[in-house]
Amino acid sequence: MKRQNFKCLLAFAFFGAASSFAQMTPVGTWHTIDDNTGEAKAEIQIVDKGGVLSGRVVKSLRQDPHAKKTCEDCKDDRKGQDIIGMEIIRGVKPEPLAEHLWAGGGKILDPENGKDYTVKMVPKEGGKKLQVRGYIGPFYRTQTWLRQP
């Protein structure tokens, strides 16, 4: 009976470690937070396709009837597209020399101004939060996104 208990304990430990590691990736559903109001702004779904992350806006969380619905300021294939459903994160990969850092030359788009930024993402607080930093040259802006169940 003791051997069976040990196997169960080992299985729980393995799955617990695997699930906590899984939370230390950007993969999942996130709420972005408005820099000015501190309120949830949009829901983003980040997925892994062969080791490369991409992310889409799945819904707006604002009740602003004047909010932009399409990205008229975008410069690429997303110009004129609906913001809901738009891929705003492209080409993000894990950094091999830094634990829990996701960048790899990936880009993030701000659909409100059409600007494309180089992005770095770092899960924080056991994966409950995601630090998202967008760069243009030496200038950057950092946001903290909140993981959703």
Side-chain angles (χ1 to χ4, degrees):
M1 193 61 134
K2 287 183 181 181
R3 186 176 178 120
Q4 188 174 5
N5 288 343
F6 177 74
K7 286 181 181 179
C8 286
L9 182 62
L10 189 60
F12 282 124
F14 173 76
F15 288 118
S19 68
S20 68
F21 176 75
Q23 296 298 311
M24 291 304 289
T25 76
V27 173
T29 303
W30 301 92
H31 280 183
T32 65
I33 305 300
D34 188 283
D35 294 332
N36 298 322
T37 66
E39 295 178 2
K41 185 175 175 179
E43 189 168 283
I44 309 297
Q45 179 71 47
I46 299 177
V47 297
D48 183 330
K49 296 177 187 171
V52 180
L53 304 185
S54 64
R56 295 188 179 278
V57 179
V58 291
K59 70 178 170 180
S60 175
L61 301 173
R62 293 192 290 180
Q63 302 302 323
D64 182 1
H66 303 294
K68 287 186 173 186
K69 304 250 187 275
T70 60
C71 188
E72 296 307 320
D73 297 324
C74 290
K75 309 283 188 271
D76 57 13
D77 61 302
R78 295 170 283 197
K79 183 171 182 66
Q81 276 191 17
D82 289 342
I83 293 173
I84 305 300
M86 178 181 289
E87 184 179 60
I88 63 165
I89 299 169
R90 291 179 171 175
V92 175
K93 300 175 191 166
E95 288 292 328
L97 301 178
E99 190 175 17
H100 307 303
L101 172 62
W102 297 76
K107 300 287 187 175
I108 188 167
L109 172 77
D110 182 343
E112 291 187 2
N113 64 22
K115 291 184 180 175
D116 215 15
Y117 301 87
T118 300
V119 68
K120 289 185 181 180
M121 294 188 275
V122 180
K124 300 285 187 177
E125 296 182 25
K128 293 177 186 175
K129 295 182 178 182
L130 184 64
Q131 178 183 314
V132 180
R133 182 169 286 171
Y135 294 86
I136 291 183
F139 304 103
Y140 62 88
R141 183 173 110 202
T142 304
Q143 291 186 333
T144 300
W145 296 1
L146 305 176
R147 185 180 296 276
Q148 298 305 298

